[in-house]
Amino acid sequence: MYELKSVTKRYTRGKETVDALAGVDLTIADGDRLVIQGPTGGGKSTLLQMLGGLDKPTAGEVVLDGTDLARLSEAKLTKVRSENIGFVFQSFNLIPTLTAQENVETALVPLGVKVKDRRERAAEALKSVGLGERLAHLPSEMSGGQQQRVAIARALVKQPKVLLADEPTGNLDESMRDEIMDVLERMWKELGLTFIMVTHDSAIAKKAPRLATIRKGKITVKENASS
Amino acid sequence: MFFTYLRRELRRRRKAALVVASGLALGIALVIVVNSVSSGMGKAQDKVLESLYGLGTDMTVTKAAPAQSSDNAQQRPRFDFDAQDSDSDAEQSSDIVMPQGFQTLAASTVTKVGEQNGVSDAVGGLSLQVIKVNGQFTRGQFQQNGDGGRQGGPGGGTGQPQGEVQGGGANFDVNNYSVYGTDVTELTAGPLTSSKITSGRTFKSTETDAKVVVVDSAYAKEKELKVGSTVTIKKVKFKVIGIATADSGDAAANLYVPLKQAQTISDQKNKVTTIYVKATDSQQIDTVKSTIQKNISGTTVTTSADLADTVSGSLSTASSLATNVGKWLSIAVLVAAFLVAGLLTSSAVSRRVREFGTLKALGWRSGRVTRQVVGEAMVNGLLGGALGIALGLAGAYVVTAISPTLEAQLGGGGGTGGPGGGFGGPGRRAAAKTLDVALTAPVSATTVAIAVGLAVAGGLIAGAFGGWRASRLRPADALRRVE
């Protein structure tokens, strides 16, 4: 469970100061599915980085299961990320020189999983996203949708508590978008994880049970009864 | 994962890897060539020095010749021949044997030197110069003029017979050669140690006063001497027992005789010109030198290092080039190669910001990311090292194969007592001599170890550049910068 209390993130560039997040309060229960929307530069990605322990707030608390991520050392934060949080990025962020299977394995490396086990689990994760035949393919040999599915497999192979997706369909066409959203939704349901996604896509936002909108660092959350 | 990732990454960036490795290889190859050429120079110099006072000698003790003065005219060799009748075919011969170059030292000095702290062994030797004049010296004949020989001047003339001296003169040759009196009981030191007996045998320790001689091969060839022949020095006949060939191609003396015989023929009883000293510890040579100089006054102690300073000519020029220009060139190339390797690695990290940011987001610790970067740089360094060693070995091989001949001039200062002229025994004769030495470039295990060390250092420096950048990457910044 996430609890964000008065989270502020301030960026300073020269004499100019910008509050990407300005006193955000937000609670996300375990197993929730939250979609975050908002204009470009509104603070969506910054919020996601706070939730993922990739960055620390200037002020406020980001509490995950009772631990304030803002107060953790870099090493402990790294541990939290490696064990509990899966990331999916808009640009897939696969390692270009590694095969699909090896890319998925990179998520298990920090957990100290043995090589054989690591390979099996990576292969299993790729099968679960429909890429069982593409284990030895390099990212450059796959379509955008396939690459994003590899990225999803990489995020989920360690069975995290939280899945954070930053515009996962932003670089995909419509059919690919639906395909990826189907995979993500299925995984969320199957694994019972907390799924937080940033998107510009209104069609996706409409289907979300909870929709948070960020404008100028301020957040408003709306429950969607129809979803 | 470490090795898979490393291998794939190096394959992907093979051009950059090749640039880094080539730069390092060039620097390392230069270090190997310069090092091995320097070592070759050292060996060549040693060879030159060995020709002067043999193997295993750490220093020589001599007494410098007195300064030139008008009195010295008396010391110059002087030959007196009586002219013979013009019809006489008899040859006259005279030889003078004198110590070469230095004042003599009492043989007891050898014992005294041997007793000094740090001296392992001291052996005396007498270096002699023999000048032999051999030929005919005939008187001229007075011939009277045909008119009876009387030419009267105004007033009646002088009454003296008139005529001219005809014929007479001299026909002679001068043979100048060197003789070295060696202590046959201590054949482990002295000039003869840098020669190999190529025919016959060397002295026996019992031949302290035997009339036997070992002849340098070049001199033997010139004078058509062989084992069993006889050589006469100042009317004393010596039997040739061996022919010696100098390792450097230039012998210290033409003839080697037992010390006692050398002392007898030169009227230098119980005298030596040079004491060859072996130190107990080669690291303490300077201390031993000071001790001898302090305790035995009036002597000049010359170490091989002092002697090395007197070597000039192309060997000296090349040696100075190798040690100065070569060393600095190697350092400059290495520094440049290290810098290029570091900057290229650092720039490669900059291009992989998203990659490393992603890995950190996935939970990779900074140390693991840094290790990956350093690992790649190390492989580049080792690759450069291997290439450099191969290139360096090839370079050294080429130098040895071409084997350029260098000229070494020994001494040349001409002074007395100083490095220009104050070194041991046959050194004075050698002061004006020029030796040709073939240059080799031997690659030692130490040189290869240095090269490997440099390769590792290059890799580490490059890795440090890149690793430092990678470790400082914050995942949020890394991801933000590219989105």
Side-chain angles (χ1 to χ4, degrees), chain A residues 10 34 39 45 78-79 89 102-103 111 115 140 146 150 156 172 174 211 222:
Chain A
R10 183 166 295 157
L34 175 73
S45 293
T78 302
K79 192 166 186 289
F89 304 96
E102 287 158 354
N103 260 290
L111 299 176
V115 178
S140 57
Q146 285 170 331
V150 174
L156 299 176
L172 304 174
E174 230 168 85
L211 180 65
K222 214 166 59 180

Side-chain angles (χ1 to χ4, degrees), chain A residues 133-221:
Chain A
E133 307 298 314
R134 297 276 188 164
L135 303 185
H137 285 235
L138 290 171
S140 57
E141 296 164 348
M142 290 187 279
S143 69
Q146 285 170 331
Q147 286 186 52
Q148 194 58 299
R149 279 196 273 169
V150 174
I152 293 168
R154 180 178 66 185
L156 299 176
V157 69
K158 61 189 173 191
Q159 297 168 332
K161 287 181 184 169
V162 181
L163 176 63
L164 301 176
D166 192 357
E167 303 203 36
T169 57
N171 279 1
L172 304 174
D173 62 27
E174 230 168 85
S175 65
M176 285 287 184
R177 178 196 69 186
D178 293 342
E179 200 180 291
I180 291 301
M181 282 315 299
D182 285 348
V183 171
L184 285 171
E185 216 157 307
R186 178 164 57 84
M187 290 295 164
W188 168 58
K189 282 177 184 162
E190 277 177 18
L191 302 173
L193 40 80
T194 306
F195 178 28
I196 303 163
M197 179 172 70
V198 166
T199 185
H200 269 116
D201 195 325
S202 304
I204 295 171
K206 270 181 201 167
K207 293 180 188 170
R210 278 183 90 197
L211 180 65
T213 306
I214 296 187
R215 282 178 206 279
K216 293 182 180 174
K218 299 277 183 190
I219 191 165
T220 50
V221 181

Side-chain angles (χ1 to χ4, degrees), chain A residues 3-10 21-26 50 55-63 67-72:
Chain A
E3 276 183 284
L4 276 67
K5 296 171 191 170
S6 307
V7 172
T8 297
K9 181 67 184 178
R10 183 166 295 157
L21 297 175
V24 170
D25 291 303
L26 178 68
M50 299 296 152
D55 207 349
K56 289 183 181 177
T58 312
E61 293 175 14
V62 180
V63 180
T67 306
D68 184 3
L69 302 183
R71 293 181 185 279
L72 290 183

